[in-house]
Amino acid sequence: MNQHSPIKGRGSLIERATEIFDFQAALRGRAAPAVDVPADAPPPPPMFDPAPPAPAPVTSDEAPIFRAQAWTSPAQPVDRDRLTEAGFLVPGAPVTAMSEEFRLLKRGLLTHLQDNPRGNRILLCSPHSGEGKTFCAINLALSLAAEQDREILLVDADFGNPGIPETLGLQAGPGLMDALADPLVAIEDCVLRTDIPSLSVLPAGQRSHADTEYLASARTEMLLQRLTEGRPDRIIVFDSPPLLAASPAAVLASHVAVALLVVRADKTSESALREAAALLKGGAQVQLLLNAVRYTGGARRFGSYYGKGEAG
């Protein structure tokens, strides 16, 4: 059997270890013998990482907010003489009875459009042609354009008989129907800016035998969202074909918050009014706009107050 040499000395383990290892010398830094390190040996790993790793970037699941583009086409001058001759409102002109009527109309519309889930979109339609819907659409757009911090886009959606750009003295180009029919046409590029800073016009575009089908497609809502997304100050005013003569008006009503049904007080029959209103059911809120009303006797009339030249 192997013989083991007993550890000499008595006492505790610490006392015995002291006899073997000089702790006092270790504290003075000379207990351990020097070690020869080869020149090509790798450096020892650090006892701690002096530069902790940078935290991982925080990613957000929220998509960036889209904001509709600003119109970039050259501003065209509105023919104010033509507006005056045709009896339209004229920007900067003195207050008249008609301008006050449209002021009252737009005040109610602006209240209704506020936070409306259907967006800031208004449709002007009528049972038949010749009832003044285009006249009212242009005047409403001009009155709304006088508002502070608002952008108005007047859309000529009467594809069979477009005429808004010509009435305003503007040179028309591609329009709404072109953007609906061709995905390569950017609808923003079709918008005509005017020298009225807050008023722009979207022409009707090319004629199509499938205008109703295009308007009923999902692309219509997508394009309308692109025009107003992230811009609550933008209001779209549509001028549509007559309800009882063409189907696009009823389809457009499904894309707007308010449908103004324009009827002539001295022309539209009750049956035509009821039939036209029935075509708008299930869509926008329908409001009646009575045109060509004649006041008699002591009926209230606007405009004369501002003509007195007196401060209120």
Side-chain angles (χ1 to χ4, degrees), residues 170-199:
L170 307 177
Q171 184 64 43
L176 176 57
M177 191 51 61
D178 299 279
L180 288 174
D182 187 355
L184 297 180
V185 176
I187 193 168
E188 298 87 356
D189 296 339
C190 300
V191 175
L192 308 177
R193 292 175 57 235
T194 74
D195 61 348
I196 302 173
S198 52
L199 177 66

PDB file of all heavy atoms in Angstrom, residues 170-199:
ATOM      1  N   LEU A 170     -61.902  77.931 -66.891  1.00  0.00           N
ATOM      2  CA  LEU A 170     -60.702  77.123 -66.694  1.00  0.00           C
ATOM      3  C   LEU A 170     -60.480  76.189 -67.876  1.00  0.00           C
ATOM      4  O   LEU A 170     -61.434  75.772 -68.543  1.00  0.00           O
ATOM      5  CB  LEU A 170     -60.815  76.296 -65.408  1.00  0.00           C
ATOM      6  CG  LEU A 170     -61.152  77.049 -64.120  1.00  0.00           C
ATOM      7  CD1 LEU A 170     -61.292  76.066 -62.961  1.00  0.00           C
ATOM      8  CD2 LEU A 170     -60.097  78.099 -63.817  1.00  0.00           C
ATOM      9  N   GLN A 171     -59.231  75.855 -68.123  1.00  0.00           N
ATOM     10  CA  GLN A 171     -58.869  74.903 -69.165  1.00  0.00           C
ATOM     11  C   GLN A 171     -58.871  73.506 -68.559  1.00  0.00           C
ATOM     12  O   GLN A 171     -58.010  73.166 -67.758  1.00  0.00           O
ATOM     13  CB  GLN A 171     -57.485  75.232 -69.741  1.00  0.00           C
ATOM     14  CG  GLN A 171     -57.054  74.340 -70.898  1.00  0.00           C
ATOM     15  CD  GLN A 171     -57.943  74.499 -72.122  1.00  0.00           C
ATOM     16  OE1 GLN A 171     -58.302  75.615 -72.491  1.00  0.00           O
ATOM     17  NE2 GLN A 171     -58.296  73.390 -72.742  1.00  0.00           N
ATOM     18  N   ALA A 172     -59.831  72.672 -68.971  1.00  0.00           N
ATOM     19  CA  ALA A 172     -59.972  71.344 -68.394  1.00  0.00           C
ATOM     20  C   ALA A 172     -58.991  70.366 -69.019  1.00  0.00           C
ATOM     21  O   ALA A 172     -58.510  70.557 -70.132  1.00  0.00           O
ATOM     22  CB  ALA A 172     -61.395  70.836 -68.565  1.00  0.00           C
ATOM     23  N   GLY A 173     -58.709  69.301 -68.273  1.00  0.00           N
ATOM     24  CA  GLY A 173     -57.843  68.224 -68.738  1.00  0.00           C
ATOM     25  C   GLY A 173     -58.399  66.900 -68.260  1.00  0.00           C
ATOM     26  O   GLY A 173     -59.611  66.754 -68.107  1.00  0.00           O
ATOM     27  N   PRO A 174     -57.533  65.908 -68.007  1.00  0.00           N
ATOM     28  CA  PRO A 174     -58.020  64.637 -67.459  1.00  0.00           C
ATOM     29  C   PRO A 174     -58.739  64.866 -66.136  1.00  0.00           C
ATOM     30  O   PRO A 174     -58.457  65.817 -65.407  1.00  0.00           O
ATOM     31  CB  PRO A 174     -56.735  63.817 -67.256  1.00  0.00           C
ATOM     32  CG  PRO A 174     -55.730  64.458 -68.161  1.00  0.00           C
ATOM     33  CD  PRO A 174     -56.083  65.915 -68.218  1.00  0.00           C
ATOM     34  N   GLY A 175     -59.668  63.972 -65.829  1.00  0.00           N
ATOM     35  CA  GLY A 175     -60.462  64.177 -64.622  1.00  0.00           C
ATOM     36  C   GLY A 175     -60.789  62.898 -63.890  1.00  0.00           C
ATOM     37  O   GLY A 175     -60.074  61.891 -63.993  1.00  0.00           O
ATOM     38  N   LEU A 176     -61.875  62.932 -63.146  1.00  0.00           N
ATOM     39  CA  LEU A 176     -62.247  61.841 -62.251  1.00  0.00           C
ATOM     40  C   LEU A 176     -62.392  60.522 -62.993  1.00  0.00           C
ATOM     41  O   LEU A 176     -61.886  59.485 -62.544  1.00  0.00           O
ATOM     42  CB  LEU A 176     -63.561  62.199 -61.538  1.00  0.00           C
ATOM     43  CG  LEU A 176     -64.155  61.113 -60.632  1.00  0.00           C
ATOM     44  CD1 LEU A 176     -63.179  60.679 -59.553  1.00  0.00           C
ATOM     45  CD2 LEU A 176     -65.466  61.597 -60.016  1.00  0.00           C
ATOM     46  N   MET A 177     -63.078  60.519 -64.127  1.00  0.00           N
ATOM     47  CA  MET A 177     -63.309  59.264 -64.830  1.00  0.00           C
ATOM     48  C   MET A 177     -62.011  58.675 -65.363  1.00  0.00           C
ATOM     49  O   MET A 177     -61.852  57.452 -65.410  1.00  0.00           O
ATOM     50  CB  MET A 177     -64.319  59.481 -65.966  1.00  0.00           C
ATOM     51  CG  MET A 177     -64.832  58.189 -66.589  1.00  0.00           C
ATOM     52  SD  MET A 177     -65.470  56.967 -65.389  1.00  0.00           S
ATOM     53  CE  MET A 177     -66.812  57.886 -64.629  1.00  0.00           C
ATOM     54  N   ASP A 178     -61.069  59.518 -65.750  1.00  0.00           N
ATOM     55  CA  ASP A 178     -59.770  59.011 -66.207  1.00  0.00           C
ATOM     56  C   ASP A 178     -59.050  58.282 -65.075  1.00  0.00           C
ATOM     57  O   ASP A 178     -58.460  57.220 -65.286  1.00  0.00           O
ATOM     58  CB  ASP A 178     -58.906  60.176 -66.707  1.00  0.00           C
ATOM     59  CG  ASP A 178     -59.536  60.894 -67.888  1.00  0.00           C
ATOM     60  OD1 ASP A 178     -59.415  60.405 -69.016  1.00  0.00           O
ATOM     61  OD2 ASP A 178     -60.166  61.937 -67.659  1.00  0.00           O
ATOM     62  N   ALA A 179     -59.084  58.857 -63.872  1.00  0.00           N
ATOM     63  CA  ALA A 179     -58.418  58.236 -62.729  1.00  0.00           C
ATOM     64  C   ALA A 179     -59.121  56.953 -62.300  1.00  0.00           C
ATOM     65  O   ALA A 179     -58.469  56.014 -61.823  1.00  0.00           O
ATOM     66  CB  ALA A 179     -58.351  59.220 -61.563  1.00  0.00           C
ATOM     67  N   LEU A 180     -60.438  56.886 -62.475  1.00  0.00           N
ATOM     68  CA  LEU A 180     -61.166  55.671 -62.129  1.00  0.00           C
ATOM     69  C   LEU A 180     -60.892  54.550 -63.127  1.00  0.00           C
ATOM     70  O   LEU A 180     -60.768  53.378 -62.751  1.00  0.00           O
ATOM     71  CB  LEU A 180     -62.674  55.953 -62.080  1.00  0.00           C
ATOM     72  CG  LEU A 180     -63.184  56.777 -60.898  1.00  0.00           C
ATOM     73  CD1 LEU A 180     -64.659  57.092 -61.073  1.00  0.00           C
ATOM     74  CD2 LEU A 180     -62.964  56.027 -59.590  1.00  0.00           C
ATOM     75  N   ALA A 181     -60.787  54.903 -64.407  1.00  0.00           N
ATOM     76  CA  ALA A 181     -60.623  53.893 -65.447  1.00  0.00           C
ATOM     77  C   ALA A 181     -59.191  53.425 -65.614  1.00  0.00           C
ATOM     78  O   ALA A 181     -58.954  52.291 -66.040  1.00  0.00           O
ATOM     79  CB  ALA A 181     -61.141  54.447 -66.782  1.00  0.00           C
ATOM     80  N   ASP A 182     -58.224  54.258 -65.273  1.00  0.00           N
ATOM     81  CA  ASP A 182     -56.816  53.933 -65.511  1.00  0.00           C
ATOM     82  C   ASP A 182     -56.022  54.078 -64.212  1.00  0.00           C
ATOM     83  O   ASP A 182     -55.820  55.189 -63.725  1.00  0.00           O
ATOM     84  CB  ASP A 182     -56.237  54.857 -66.590  1.00  0.00           C
ATOM     85  CG  ASP A 182     -54.825  54.463 -66.997  1.00  0.00           C
ATOM     86  OD1 ASP A 182     -54.260  53.537 -66.384  1.00  0.00           O
ATOM     87  OD2 ASP A 182     -54.293  55.080 -67.937  1.00  0.00           O
ATOM     88  N   PRO A 183     -55.546  52.971 -63.624  1.00  0.00           N
ATOM     89  CA  PRO A 183     -54.779  53.065 -62.371  1.00  0.00           C
ATOM     90  C   PRO A 183     -53.481  53.849 -62.513  1.00  0.00           C
ATOM     91  O   PRO A 183     -52.909  54.272 -61.505  1.00  0.00           O
ATOM     92  CB  PRO A 183     -54.484  51.598 -62.035  1.00  0.00           C
ATOM     93  CG  PRO A 183     -55.509  50.799 -62.780  1.00  0.00           C
ATOM     94  CD  PRO A 183     -55.781  51.575 -64.022  1.00  0.00           C
ATOM     95  N   LEU A 184     -52.999  54.046 -63.733  1.00  0.00           N
ATOM     96  CA  LEU A 184     -51.764  54.785 -63.935  1.00  0.00           C
ATOM     97  C   LEU A 184     -51.972  56.298 -63.864  1.00  0.00           C
ATOM     98  O   LEU A 184     -51.005  57.057 -63.818  1.00  0.00           O
ATOM     99  CB  LEU A 184     -51.139  54.420 -65.293  1.00  0.00           C
ATOM    100  CG  LEU A 184     -50.719  52.953 -65.457  1.00  0.00           C
ATOM    101  CD1 LEU A 184     -50.126  52.719 -66.840  1.00  0.00           C
ATOM    102  CD2 LEU A 184     -49.721  52.547 -64.373  1.00  0.00           C
ATOM    103  N   VAL A 185     -53.225  56.746 -63.865  1.00  0.00           N
ATOM    104  CA  VAL A 185     -53.530  58.178 -63.782  1.00  0.00           C
ATOM    105  C   VAL A 185     -53.672  58.561 -62.309  1.00  0.00           C
ATOM    106  O   VAL A 185     -54.551  58.034 -61.605  1.00  0.00           O
ATOM    107  CB  VAL A 185     -54.821  58.531 -64.543  1.00  0.00           C
ATOM    108  CG1 VAL A 185     -55.167  60.005 -64.360  1.00  0.00           C
ATOM    109  CG2 VAL A 185     -54.654  58.208 -66.028  1.00  0.00           C
ATOM    110  N   ALA A 186     -52.814  59.436 -61.825  1.00  0.00           N
ATOM    111  CA  ALA A 186     -52.885  59.912 -60.436  1.00  0.00           C
ATOM    112  C   ALA A 186     -53.959  60.982 -60.331  1.00  0.00           C
ATOM    113  O   ALA A 186     -53.898  62.003 -61.042  1.00  0.00           O
ATOM    114  CB  ALA A 186     -51.537  60.458 -59.989  1.00  0.00           C
ATOM    115  N   ILE A 187     -54.920  60.770 -59.465  1.00  0.00           N
ATOM    116  CA  ILE A 187     -56.031  61.713 -59.371  1.00  0.00           C
ATOM    117  C   ILE A 187     -55.558  63.094 -58.908  1.00  0.00           C
ATOM    118  O   ILE A 187     -56.137  64.123 -59.282  1.00  0.00           O
ATOM    119  CB  ILE A 187     -57.133  61.160 -58.446  1.00  0.00           C
ATOM    120  CG1 ILE A 187     -58.420  61.971 -58.605  1.00  0.00           C
ATOM    121  CG2 ILE A 187     -56.665  61.135 -56.983  1.00  0.00           C
ATOM    122  CD1 ILE A 187     -59.637  61.340 -57.964  1.00  0.00           C
ATOM    123  N   GLU A 188     -54.474  63.131 -58.117  1.00  0.00           N
ATOM    124  CA  GLU A 188     -53.953  64.422 -57.658  1.00  0.00           C
ATOM    125  C   GLU A 188     -53.493  65.286 -58.831  1.00  0.00           C
ATOM    126  O   GLU A 188     -53.572  66.514 -58.781  1.00  0.00           O
ATOM    127  CB  GLU A 188     -52.795  64.212 -56.686  1.00  0.00           C
ATOM    128  CG  GLU A 188     -53.164  63.473 -55.411  1.00  0.00           C
ATOM    129  CD  GLU A 188     -53.085  61.971 -55.549  1.00  0.00           C
ATOM    130  OE1 GLU A 188     -52.822  61.482 -56.677  1.00  0.00           O
ATOM    131  OE2 GLU A 188     -53.287  61.282 -54.535  1.00  0.00           O
ATOM    132  N   ASP A 189     -52.999  64.629 -59.888  1.00  0.00           N
ATOM    133  CA  ASP A 189     -52.516  65.370 -61.053  1.00  0.00           C
ATOM    134  C   ASP A 189     -53.645  65.927 -61.903  1.00  0.00           C
ATOM    135  O   ASP A 189     -53.404  66.743 -62.806  1.00  0.00           O
ATOM    136  CB  ASP A 189     -51.622  64.462 -61.915  1.00  0.00           C
ATOM    137  CG  ASP A 189     -50.361  64.023 -61.185  1.00  0.00           C
ATOM    138  OD1 ASP A 189     -49.976  64.706 -60.216  1.00  0.00           O
ATOM    139  OD2 ASP A 189     -49.780  63.001 -61.587  1.00  0.00           O
ATOM    140  N   CYS A 190     -54.877  65.483 -61.659  1.00  0.00           N
ATOM    141  CA  CYS A 190     -56.023  65.950 -62.445  1.00  0.00           C
ATOM    142  C   CYS A 190     -56.662  67.205 -61.855  1.00  0.00           C
ATOM    143  O   CYS A 190     -57.480  67.850 -62.516  1.00  0.00           O
ATOM    144  CB  CYS A 190     -57.077  64.849 -62.542  1.00  0.00           C
ATOM    145  SG  CYS A 190     -56.506  63.322 -63.328  1.00  0.00           S
ATOM    146  N   VAL A 191     -56.317  67.544 -60.626  1.00  0.00           N
ATOM    147  CA  VAL A 191     -56.943  68.676 -59.938  1.00  0.00           C
ATOM    148  C   VAL A 191     -56.431  69.993 -60.524  1.00  0.00           C
ATOM    149  O   VAL A 191     -55.227  70.180 -60.703  1.00  0.00           O
ATOM    150  CB  VAL A 191     -56.667  68.612 -58.427  1.00  0.00           C
ATOM    151  CG1 VAL A 191     -57.211  69.863 -57.722  1.00  0.00           C
ATOM    152  CG2 VAL A 191     -57.284  67.356 -57.829  1.00  0.00           C
ATOM    153  N   LEU A 192     -57.356  70.902 -60.818  1.00  0.00           N
ATOM    154  CA  LEU A 192     -57.020  72.230 -61.335  1.00  0.00           C
ATOM    155  C   LEU A 192     -57.049  73.237 -60.195  1.00  0.00           C
ATOM    156  O   LEU A 192     -58.085  73.423 -59.550  1.00  0.00           O
ATOM    157  CB  LEU A 192     -58.018  72.655 -62.418  1.00  0.00           C
ATOM    158  CG  LEU A 192     -58.274  71.689 -63.565  1.00  0.00           C
ATOM    159  CD1 LEU A 192     -59.354  72.246 -64.495  1.00  0.00           C
ATOM    160  CD2 LEU A 192     -56.989  71.433 -64.352  1.00  0.00           C
ATOM    161  N   ARG A 193     -55.934  73.874 -59.938  1.00  0.00           N
ATOM    162  CA  ARG A 193     -55.907  74.954 -58.953  1.00  0.00           C
ATOM    163  C   ARG A 193     -56.399  76.236 -59.607  1.00  0.00           C
ATOM    164  O   ARG A 193     -56.244  76.445 -60.811  1.00  0.00           O
ATOM    165  CB  ARG A 193     -54.492  75.160 -58.424  1.00  0.00           C
ATOM    166  CG  ARG A 193     -53.977  74.003 -57.568  1.00  0.00           C
ATOM    167  CD  ARG A 193     -52.527  74.202 -57.172  1.00  0.00           C
ATOM    168  NE  ARG A 193     -52.331  75.456 -56.455  1.00  0.00           N
ATOM    169  CZ  ARG A 193     -51.466  76.399 -56.807  1.00  0.00           C
ATOM    170  NH1 ARG A 193     -50.701  76.237 -57.885  1.00  0.00           N
ATOM    171  NH2 ARG A 193     -51.337  77.494 -56.091  1.00  0.00           N
ATOM    172  N   THR A 194     -57.015  77.111 -58.807  1.00  0.00           N
ATOM    173  CA  THR A 194     -57.479  78.401 -59.309  1.00  0.00           C
ATOM    174  C   THR A 194     -56.766  79.522 -58.565  1.00  0.00           C
ATOM    175  O   THR A 194     -56.066  79.286 -57.577  1.00  0.00           O
ATOM    176  CB  THR A 194     -59.002  78.552 -59.119  1.00  0.00           C
ATOM    177  OG1 THR A 194     -59.289  78.781 -57.726  1.00  0.00           O
ATOM    178  CG2 THR A 194     -59.746  77.306 -59.586  1.00  0.00           C
ATOM    179  N   ASP A 195     -56.973  80.748 -59.032  1.00  0.00           N
ATOM    180  CA  ASP A 195     -56.366  81.883 -58.339  1.00  0.00           C
ATOM    181  C   ASP A 195     -57.144  82.265 -57.086  1.00  0.00           C
ATOM    182  O   ASP A 195     -56.777  83.215 -56.392  1.00  0.00           O
ATOM    183  CB  ASP A 195     -56.235  83.081 -59.281  1.00  0.00           C
ATOM    184  CG  ASP A 195     -57.581  83.569 -59.802  1.00  0.00           C
ATOM    185  OD1 ASP A 195     -58.597  82.863 -59.620  1.00  0.00           O
ATOM    186  OD2 ASP A 195     -57.623  84.653 -60.417  1.00  0.00           O
ATOM    187  N   ILE A 196     -58.215  81.533 -56.797  1.00  0.00           N
ATOM    188  CA  ILE A 196     -58.857  81.616 -55.489  1.00  0.00           C
ATOM    189  C   ILE A 196     -58.154  80.558 -54.640  1.00  0.00           C
ATOM    190  O   ILE A 196     -58.339  79.360 -54.864  1.00  0.00           O
ATOM    191  CB  ILE A 196     -60.367  81.327 -55.568  1.00  0.00           C
ATOM    192  CG1 ILE A 196     -61.035  82.303 -56.532  1.00  0.00           C
ATOM    193  CG2 ILE A 196     -61.011  81.397 -54.193  1.00  0.00           C
ATOM    194  CD1 ILE A 196     -62.497  81.984 -56.816  1.00  0.00           C
ATOM    195  N   PRO A 197     -57.277  80.942 -53.718  1.00  0.00           N
ATOM    196  CA  PRO A 197     -56.368  79.989 -53.065  1.00  0.00           C
ATOM    197  C   PRO A 197     -57.033  78.755 -52.469  1.00  0.00           C
ATOM    198  O   PRO A 197     -56.449  77.677 -52.467  1.00  0.00           O
ATOM    199  CB  PRO A 197     -55.693  80.838 -51.975  1.00  0.00           C
ATOM    200  CG  PRO A 197     -55.791  82.240 -52.466  1.00  0.00           C
ATOM    201  CD  PRO A 197     -57.090  82.319 -53.212  1.00  0.00           C
ATOM    202  N   SER A 198     -58.238  78.885 -51.982  1.00  0.00           N
ATOM    203  CA  SER A 198     -58.888  77.765 -51.306  1.00  0.00           C
ATOM    204  C   SER A 198     -59.865  77.000 -52.198  1.00  0.00           C
ATOM    205  O   SER A 198     -60.604  76.133 -51.709  1.00  0.00           O
ATOM    206  CB  SER A 198     -59.634  78.262 -50.061  1.00  0.00           C
ATOM    207  OG  SER A 198     -60.487  79.331 -50.394  1.00  0.00           O
ATOM    208  N   LEU A 199     -59.863  77.273 -53.496  1.00  0.00           N
ATOM    209  CA  LEU A 199     -60.793  76.601 -54.418  1.00  0.00           C
ATOM    210  C   LEU A 199     -60.030  75.896 -55.529  1.00  0.00           C
ATOM    211  O   LEU A 199     -59.202  76.503 -56.210  1.00  0.00           O
ATOM    212  CB  LEU A 199     -61.780  77.597 -55.029  1.00  0.00           C
ATOM    213  CG  LEU A 199     -62.749  77.010 -56.066  1.00  0.00           C
ATOM    214  CD1 LEU A 199     -63.708  76.013 -55.415  1.00  0.00           C
ATOM    215  CD2 LEU A 199     -63.539  78.126 -56.770  1.00  0.00           C
TER     216      LEU A 199
END
